Amino acid sequence: MRRPLVIPAAAAAGLALLTACTAGTESSGPPKVGASATDQTPVTIEFWHGFSADSELKAFEDTLAGFNQKFPWITVKATKAIQDDQIIQSVRGGNPPDVALSFTTDSVAEFCKAGIFQDLNPYLTASKIDGTALFPKVIDEYTQYDGKRCVLPMLADAYGLYYNKKLMQGNEPPKTLSELADLAKKLTVKNAKGDLEVAGFMPISQMYENSPIHTGVMVGAKWTNPDGTSAIGSDPQWKKLMTWQKDLTDWFGYDKIEKFRKSFGDEWSADNPFHKGKVAMAIDGEWRVAMLADSAPDLDYGTAPFPVADDQPERYGAGFITGTVIGIPKGAKHAEAAWELVKYLTTDTDALVTLSNAIRNVPSTLPALQSPNLKKDEHFQTFLDVFANPNSTTLPAHLNSVFNQQALQEAQIKWESGRADDLDALLADVDKRIDDKLKLTAGG
């Protein structure tokens, strides 16, 4: 599942440094694929991942048990709650794990260019695996950059709208932004002091999964032009979305809605406000289905696609697509054994279905999507449909993907909080920041 995007400046600098100093340092020649199967000398490999919820960790234990049965001489030492910056620093420091998992595709372009993960194309070729035939097109594309496939997909994420049926008071889930705004106002409950007790919907960009990378899909907004420069200021859809968000935020009162947001529990815990009935509708990923089953089993809720711009009804059913990616870091001590684990977690149908059924992520291979063992309840089916919708999108691969998202979200916070009053100028400044950064990166 996708975690909040946080890559510190020090880690970003590490990416730049690695880009400059790692060219040509990968080992030459084909990998010794299958060596671990014929040698069978006991080996322990380190596996870093970002999962932390109890249900996720249990799912991983069950899946790794299947790997251990197949490769009993390979012991997997798993470390949880790892973030991208820790992976970057481990490679930079010369002490990386053997296998590492990232919750986002945001840094794939930089990971590939900087050589943080090894190119897996030689491993796939040696194992006679055709990625273009195994993975759906959008997934196949976001694990590659500039001819390198430095990571493989391990489950995918699709985003949609969750709604509390009791709080909805019989209303159907909204299909347009105007319907969402009207219903958000109707379902909001305030106390005598005007403070929020229940929000129909939280429109601000700082609310958990409301970042522009997710909400931009509701209006079909573009991030970049064909040459990689920013399209944010010139695409009227961003202005449409941010105006809609600001209007609804102003209805709540920014200070009131921020006070309410800061009272919420951790997004990844049972204290999530949707679990507690404090918000009627929320943007979230498919993994919330498993979390609700685990920590709020009595909650009566539904799932639906994102509402879309009123003038784009044909786009209803689309959503944002991303996923978890996994690879072998540069400098891994046991690359052959590491490949066996990566291959198992990304291509084995039973392993992917086991994980999908447990943590409710979308399977990332065509055989797993079609498996009769894949559980498809009404809540989860919504996200399978979003995943299959031709209008669903992902973020285009870009060397400055992380920076671009941060630049836009910083502007959104200024706008919705009332600290900026000229939206055109604000978005033009976002374009300038992104394009200036692109010039520096391209010049490096």
Side-chain angles (χ1 to χ4, degrees), residues 180-181 184-185 201 203 243-253:
L180 176 56
K185 296 173 184 178
F201 177 77
T243 299
W244 176 86
Q245 287 178 302
K246 179 69 160 56
D247 288 345
L248 187 53
T249 297
D250 287 348
W251 180 86
F252 280 101

Side-chain angles (χ1 to χ4, degrees), residues 146-177:
D146 198 25
K148 284 189 177 182
R149 190 195 294 272
C150 59
V151 291
L152 289 179
M154 196 210 76
L155 302 179
D157 292 325
Y159 285 74
L161 186 76
Y162 284 74
Y163 58 95
N164 183 311
K165 290 185 177 180
K166 180 180 179 181
L167 297 179
M168 290 287 280
Q169 303 173 12
N171 290 282
E172 292 296 314
K175 292 186 177 182
T176 65
L177 290 181

Side-chain angles (χ1 to χ4, degrees), residues 186-264:
K186 179 180 179 180
L187 303 181
T188 293
V189 178
K190 301 179 181 180
N191 63 21
K193 296 181 180 180
D195 292 329
L196 296 173
E197 293 186 345
V198 174
F201 177 77
M202 297 284 286
I204 56 176
S205 62
Q206 297 178 81
M207 175 62 184
Y208 296 155
E209 300 296 331
N210 286 15
S211 59
I213 191 175
H214 305 148
T215 57
V217 179
M218 298 194 291
V219 295
K222 294 193 305 180
W223 284 84
T224 57
N225 298 308
D227 62 356
T229 57
S230 176
I232 291 169
S234 60
D235 184 356
Q237 301 307 323
W238 284 115
K239 186 174 181 179
K240 177 188 298 181
L241 174 66
M242 290 173 66
T243 299
W244 176 86
Q245 287 178 302
K246 179 69 160 56
D247 288 345
L248 187 53
T249 297
D250 287 348
W251 180 86
F252 280 101
Y254 180 76
D255 291 343
K256 295 289 187 183
I257 204 169
E258 265 294 272
K259 179 181 178 181
F260 193 51
R261 182 184 70 85
K262 289 177 179 178
S263 72
F264 295 159

Side-chain angles (χ1 to χ4, degrees), residues 384-412:
L384 294 176
D385 294 341
V386 167
F387 185 75
N389 190 290
N391 288 319
S392 291
T393 61
T394 190
L395 189 68
H398 196 286
L399 284 175
N400 298 322
S401 176
V402 174
F403 177 86
N404 297 352
Q405 292 177 64
Q406 290 175 335
L408 179 53
Q409 185 150 18
E410 288 168 5
Q412 280 199 320

